[in-house]
């Protein structure tokens, strides 16, 4: 039998926090080792407890986002998932760039949340689908000064085509319809794409495409 996922929850709304605890305990497979309501609580808990996942709201006193980097500096293996009502792109990007492994909206169902947490515990990243495409657009507009090799070189033309559609926010089913391919075929291609790019999920693959595309753009030349 697999060991329970050790989880702490930091949220400044006790009723919500207790509801999440009760729900996850009923679903099973989770051990709630601590609860807190502030940034300081998050840092203390991450220091004192042996955690797999820290589930945290961004709006706790002191700021949940500001707890991500210091917690990970002390415990790099800790997986932090933000559970929030905020759909602001900047909050999502700040969370991911700080090292959070997931960004989940509070409207998610209990069993879906449990599935997401299991996925994150296994090393995957997760951003709720309604936010991921918007975040990718914002990330693609940020300047990058570091030169990178052509990480897309190993992709076939078909794989690049599929990855471009993924970056545009299309699901496997919609990509299959557009390219007149079976959904299973798209899934097979995506498995190969993730392996070739050495990334964990669709969001990371799309970010890689956008970064590489930026570096391939020729510099703008101004008339003398």
């Amino acid at each position: 039998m697999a060991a329970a996922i050790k989880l702490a929850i930091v949220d400044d709304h006790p009723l919500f926090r207790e509801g999440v605890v009760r729900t996850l305990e009923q679903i099973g497979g989770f051990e709630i080792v601590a609860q807190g309501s502030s940034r300081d609580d998050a840092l203390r808990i991450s220091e004192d407890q042996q955690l797999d996942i820290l589930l945290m709201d961004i709006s706790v006193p002191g700021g949940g986002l500001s707890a991500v980097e210091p917690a990970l500096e002390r415990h790099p293996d800790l997986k932090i998932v933000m559970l929030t009502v905020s759909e602001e792109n900047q909050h999502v990007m700040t969370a991911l760039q700080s090292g959070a492994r997931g960004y989940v909206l509070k409207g998610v169902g209990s069993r879906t949340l449990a599935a997401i947490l299991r996925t994150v515990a296994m090393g995957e990243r997760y951003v709720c689908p309604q936010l991921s495409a918007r975040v990718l657009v914002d990330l693609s507009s940020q300047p990058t000064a570091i030169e990178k090799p052509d990480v897309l070189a190993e992709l076939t033309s078909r794989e690049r085509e599929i990855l471009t559609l993924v970056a545009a926010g299309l699901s496997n089913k919609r990509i299959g319809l557009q390219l007149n391919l079976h959904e299973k075929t798209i899934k097979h291609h995506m498995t190969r794409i993730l392996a070739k790019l050495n990334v964990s999920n669709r969001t990371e693959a799309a970010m890689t495409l956008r970064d590489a595309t930026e570096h391939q753009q020729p510099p703008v030349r101004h008339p003398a």
Side-chain angles (χ1 to χ4, degrees):
M1 184 176 179
I5 296 170
K6 293 185 177 181
L7 185 81
I9 300 176
V10 176
D11 191 292
D12 60 340
H13 292 86
L15 284 176
F16 177 81
R17 188 175 68 235
E18 292 165 8
V20 173
V21 170
R22 185 165 54 252
T23 296
L24 292 178
E25 288 178 340
Q26 289 174 349
I27 291 174
F30 298 93
E31 179 185 350
I32 313 302
V33 299
Q35 298 182 45
S37 60
S38 67
R39 174 187 186 274
D40 290 344
D41 286 345
L43 295 178
R44 174 183 53 77
I45 290 168
S46 65
E47 186 69 24
D48 294 345
Q49 302 291 335
Q50 293 294 322
L51 297 176
D52 297 312
I53 295 177
L54 174 62
L55 185 62
M56 178 167 53
D57 192 357
I58 69 172
S59 63
V60 294
L65 291 175
S66 68
V68 177
E69 287 189 359
L72 293 177
E73 284 176 3
R74 300 174 189 174
H75 303 283
D77 293 334
L78 177 63
K79 298 174 177 65
I80 299 178
V81 176
M82 314 310 295
L83 180 61
T84 177
V85 298
S86 175
E87 298 186 27
E88 292 187 28
N89 288 7
Q90 189 57 52
H91 286 163
V92 184
M93 291 196 302
T94 299
L96 297 178
Q97 291 168 347
S98 298
R101 304 289 293 186
Y103 196 98
V104 186
L105 295 179
K106 283 188 173 180
V108 69
S110 57
R111 294 198 173 276
T112 300
L113 176 60
I116 292 168
L117 294 175
R118 292 190 190 102
T119 297
V120 170
M122 294 173 62
E124 299 286 337
R125 287 188 173 88
Y126 178 88
V127 178
C128 59
Q130 59 264 51
L131 298 180
S132 59
R134 284 166 29 196
V135 171
L136 287 170
V137 171
D138 275 9
L139 286 174
S140 70
S141 67
Q142 295 183 353
T144 306
I146 302 173
E147 290 296 328
K148 296 182 180 179
D150 183 9
V151 295
L152 305 180
E154 293 187 16
L155 299 185
T156 66
S157 58
R158 175 64 84 184
E159 288 168 348
R160 286 198 185 213
E161 184 179 24
I162 290 171
L163 183 54
T164 299
L165 295 174
V166 168
L170 274 66
S171 65
N172 286 346
K173 184 175 182 179
R174 289 181 60 192
I175 293 171
L177 291 172
Q178 183 159 328
L179 300 181
N180 196 27
L181 295 171
H182 290 296
E183 185 176 358
K184 287 185 178 180
T185 302
I186 303 300
K187 289 181 180 178
H188 174 72
H189 280 299
M190 280 307 304
T191 299
R192 291 179 57 84
I193 290 169
L194 296 181
K196 288 181 178 181
L197 298 182
N198 193 29
V199 296
S200 302
N201 55 47
R202 298 162 67 89
T203 300
E204 291 182 340
M207 288 179 182
T208 301
L209 171 66
R210 291 180 183 275
D211 286 346
T213 301
E214 283 182 0
H215 288 295
Q216 292 170 2
Q217 294 296 326
V220 176
R221 298 186 181 277
H222 299 283

